[in-house]
Amino acid sequence: MSLPLEGLSAIVTGAGRGLGRAEALELARLGAAVVVNDYGQPGRDGSGAASAAPAEEVAAEIRAAGGRAVAHLGDVSDFETARALVDLAVAEFGKLDVLVNNAGILRDRMVFSMSEDEWDSVVRVHLKGHFNTTHFAAVHWRGRSKAGETGVYGRIVNTSSEAFLAGSAGQPNYAAAKGGIVGLTTSSALALARYGVTANAICPRARTRMTEDVFAGFGEPAEGELDPLSPEHVAPLVGYLASPAAAGVNGQLLVVHGGMVAVVDRPKVSAKFDTAKEAFTYEELDSLLTPHYASRPAGETFAATEVLGLKKD
């Protein structure tokens, strides 16, 4: 019996540790040949010397299990590095079929304390990094289609965050980048569907190096039980979205953690007001909007995360 991703090749960025590692291992388990990308810096803020070791270790683990994998050391926020990454997949495996964007860093600070570099670096790695790899993967798929190849297969799985959905007071850079990734995903989904490509985004919750302080003491597993915040809860959804079974899933945002997947609707209008005259005045808006917001719970945002069961206990 063939595996769901047999004959396909994939790139997973930020795959040397945490979520990316789990995703790369899952894609390989499902039959894909994998390019394991990681910049290998020890600090979650992107500090420290780059190292090939994390990516090499994951690639070796895949090969030891009987799969095919190569490692790639590189910072995907660099445009030419992203080009070389896609070129490596094509050179090693003949083509690229799946792109999983996961690489990221954290530089948390309240908006009134955040420096320009702290803003720029996080947006660069997350949002520009997602764009860079998406761009070169899209060029690859479009080129094959324009050359007359039938049945071009392409899957993009991007990594957003609940920080975008519900806000995160100490992460204005991260939340903004993750929101931008959703916009990039939906735009790419529309632009690339004609070439046989789908693009979707996930909001994963997992205990990793990036979130070790956020989830410290939260939902700790009993001895012998799987951690409810293990990256292994997230990886199967990525495998599914990368597979032929998900051909009808495009431009979607899914929240995933601990044995739960929630499909997030696009924002909907919750209330609508029309002027009684030709144009609104300040006084009329005050009479309509102030009572409307006064009737809503204090601090409520547009994202109804409680409905999804995403709020901490």
Side-chain angles (χ1 to χ4, degrees):
M1 183 176 178
S2 63
L3 296 169
L5 303 184
E6 189 171 328
L8 302 181
S9 66
I11 289 171
V12 183
T13 71
R17 305 177 179 93
L19 276 171
R21 173 184 175 276
E23 291 162 354
L25 293 175
E26 177 69 1
L27 295 183
R29 188 188 71 80
L30 295 175
V34 183
V35 179
V36 180
N37 160 266
D38 203 278
Y39 203 34
Q41 293 171 302
R44 68 178 187 173
D45 61 351
S47 63
S51 170
E56 292 282 7
E57 289 170 5
V58 176
E61 189 174 351
I62 290 172
R63 292 192 296 266
R68 300 171 64 198
V70 294
H72 176 268
L73 169 66
D75 176 4
V76 293
S77 70
D78 178 78
F79 197 64
E80 291 305 317
T81 296
R83 184 201 302 271
L85 176 58
V86 172
D87 287 348
L88 175 62
V90 175
E92 287 287 331
F93 304 125
K95 58 186 172 61
L96 173 65
D97 302 294
V98 177
L99 170 64
V100 179
N101 283 310
N102 176 74
I105 63 172
L106 290 178
R107 292 188 179 176
D108 295 350
R109 193 89 63 183
M110 300 296 282
V111 68
F112 44 76
S113 302
M114 182 164 287
S115 70
E116 181 181 17
D117 180 66
E118 287 166 338
W119 173 273
D120 288 348
S121 60
V122 169
V123 172
R124 184 184 69 249
V125 175
H126 286 274
L127 184 52
K128 188 186 177 189
H130 273 60
F131 162 73
N132 286 346
T133 54
T134 296
H135 167 77
F136 289 111
V139 168
H140 170 70
W141 290 319
R142 183 174 180 268
R144 287 165 53 191
S145 178
K146 292 291 187 181
E149 182 178 337
T150 58
V152 173
Y153 184 102
R155 297 285 188 270
I156 301 170
V157 183
N158 288 332
T159 305
S160 184
S161 170
E162 292 172 70
F164 148 72
L165 279 175
S168 182
Q171 296 181 306
N173 47 5
Y174 181 77
K178 291 304 190 182
I181 285 167
V182 174
L184 171 64
T185 302
T186 55
S187 175
S188 300
L190 290 173
L192 301 178
R194 71 183 68 181
Y195 305 117
V197 179
T198 67
N200 295 287
I202 63 171
C203 293
R205 183 188 291 184
R207 199 188 317 272
T208 68
R209 182 180 58 135
M210 295 272 283
T211 62
E212 58 189 1
D213 55 341
V214 175
F215 295 130
F218 180 89
E220 294 286 354
E223 187 175 351
E225 292 184 357
L226 179 64
D227 186 348
L229 291 173
S230 168
E232 280 68 30
H233 286 296
V234 175
L237 177 60
V238 173
Y240 166 75
L241 292 173
S243 77
V249 185
N250 195 27
Q252 299 298 301
L253 177 65
L254 302 99
V255 177
V256 54
H257 63 85
M260 186 282 296
V261 173
V263 178
V264 180
D265 280 340
R266 297 193 182 193
K268 297 180 179 180
V269 175
S270 63
K272 180 176 178 292
F273 303 95
D274 296 308
T275 181
K277 302 178 181 180
E278 184 178 5
F280 277 114
T281 63
Y282 166 85
E283 291 76 13
E284 186 181 17
L285 289 170
D286 180 32
S287 71
L288 294 171
L289 294 178
T290 301
H292 171 71
Y293 283 104
S295 68
R296 301 177 69 170
E300 182 182 62
T301 67
F302 72 89
T305 53
E306 288 93 340
V307 176
L308 295 177
L310 303 180
K311 192 174 182 180
K312 281 188 179 182
D313 295 333

